[in-house]
Amino acid sequence: MRPPSEPSEPAERSEDAWLRAVASRFPAGPRVETGIGHDAACVRLDGRLAVVKTDAVIDGVDFRLAECGPEAAARKAVAVTASDLAATASVPRAAVVAVALPRGAPFALFDGLARGLAAATAECGCDLVGGDTSTYDGPLAVTVALVGEPGPMGVVRRSGARPGDALSVTGALGGSILGRHLTFAPRLREALVLAEGRVPHAMMDLSDGLAADLPRLCAASGVGADVDAERVPVHADARRAPGPGTPLSRALADGEDFELLVAHAPLEPAALAALAARGVVLVRVGTVTAAAGVLRLVTGGVAAPFPRGGYDHLRAPPRPA
Ligand SMILES: [Mg+2]
């Protein structure tokens, strides 16, 4: 038997490029309503739709255990996964968790994780119903999978944005490293309010930054976008956070804001006020255009190419130990 030949390297070292290179190995079967390439998948089971999503967080990459402790780490593992269900306007129902403990870890670590998992799943309104524990010579890793049900609009996808739509976000962006990347609340309630109002044409959560995530939404929808630099809500943390870049560049590229990015028909002030009265603030940052794949950042009426970037695990430099 011949050994399998060495695969050719994708043109680009990025999560998106690597996923595109292998996606054809996973053809969607008849039960698949929404498959690879969206924030969460949706499958039909006995006539009903189930939404599924998994996410992993790792010490030294997604949190620093020595600084934040196990409760916050476990909470983040649940919250990042729930944020992807929020992106599809779905409702989490059950969670399972796989924990990879550093070999020799004390019970206090395990117990701290359990406390964080219990609090976070309760916050999300779902039950933790099982999981798996292993140990190895590596850092703590917590992987959560959620199963949920579609909300009142069904599963909202990234692919429904139309030329002329407004592009809005649900909160200020940038500087999450100062703490919000651990403490954010997934926008589950906000997503359901938007779905009840039939607002989103397309939606996703901002996990890797507008600079990485807006191109994904545009690609899925076959559209382009103009972003108004003056309208991007820059979080106070983006001005305080150390490191290179301007507050605006940090708002666009830092990632882990976990706000929703929504493409929707432009709304009258009264409709925006009604949403705000229900706790959902939509900040318009731009407009969807028909120019597929063309993204521009407009500053003072002058358009420039939208900065691509944001966080990508395959491009991230190694972190100091
Ligand atoms: Mg997402």
Side-chain angles (χ1 to χ4, degrees), residues 54-265:
T54 187
D55 232 319
V57 295
I58 300 172
D59 184 16
V61 178
D62 303 283
F63 59 88
R64 289 179 185 280
L65 180 62
E67 293 167 20
C68 73
E71 284 189 61
R75 187 190 176 282
K76 181 170 185 178
V78 174
V80 295
T81 316
S83 181
D84 276 324
L85 261 66
T88 63
S90 301
V91 185
R93 295 297 188 205
V96 289
V97 59
V99 175
L101 297 167
R103 205 179 301 281
F107 175 71
L109 174 60
F110 193 68
D111 188 56
L113 291 172
R115 273 185 274 124
L117 290 166
T121 48
E123 264 178 62
C124 294
C126 69
D127 298 300
L128 194 140
V129 294
D132 179 56
T133 306
S134 47
T135 65
Y136 74 136
D137 294 319
L140 173 68
V142 185
T143 304
V144 167
L146 285 174
V147 179
E149 293 180 282
M153 275 185 83
V155 171
V156 177
R157 298 175 172 86
R158 296 178 178 180
S159 52
R162 307 163 197 170
D165 276 355
L167 283 167
S168 298
V169 296
T170 51
L173 310 176
S176 67
I177 192 69
L178 291 187
R180 281 160 35 243
H181 77 106
L182 291 171
T183 59
F184 72 95
R187 299 299 188 196
L188 290 161
R189 198 188 61 76
E190 290 82 353
L192 286 185
V193 169
L194 291 169
E196 281 165 17
R198 299 289 191 270
V199 173
H201 292 164
M203 193 154 69
M204 68 184 299
D205 69 325
L206 292 172
S207 54
D208 298 331
L210 204 58
D213 290 328
L214 179 59
R216 291 173 176 149
L217 185 136
C218 287
S221 294
V223 297
D226 282 350
V227 173
D228 190 337
E230 280 102 8
R231 288 183 183 228
V232 173
V234 177
H235 198 284
D237 288 346
R239 304 180 197 282
R240 295 192 296 124
T246 63
L248 176 63
S249 73
R250 307 207 59 156
L252 296 176
D254 278 356
E256 302 222 300
D257 302 298
F258 298 105
E259 297 293 348
L260 297 171
L261 170 64
V262 192
H264 58 92

Side-chain angles (χ1 to χ4, degrees), residues 264-295:
H264 58 92
L267 294 170
E268 298 295 329
L272 289 168
L275 287 170
R278 298 190 65 190
V280 183
V281 177
L282 281 184
V283 181
R284 182 166 180 175
V285 297
T287 303
V288 175
T289 67
V294 179
L295 281 73

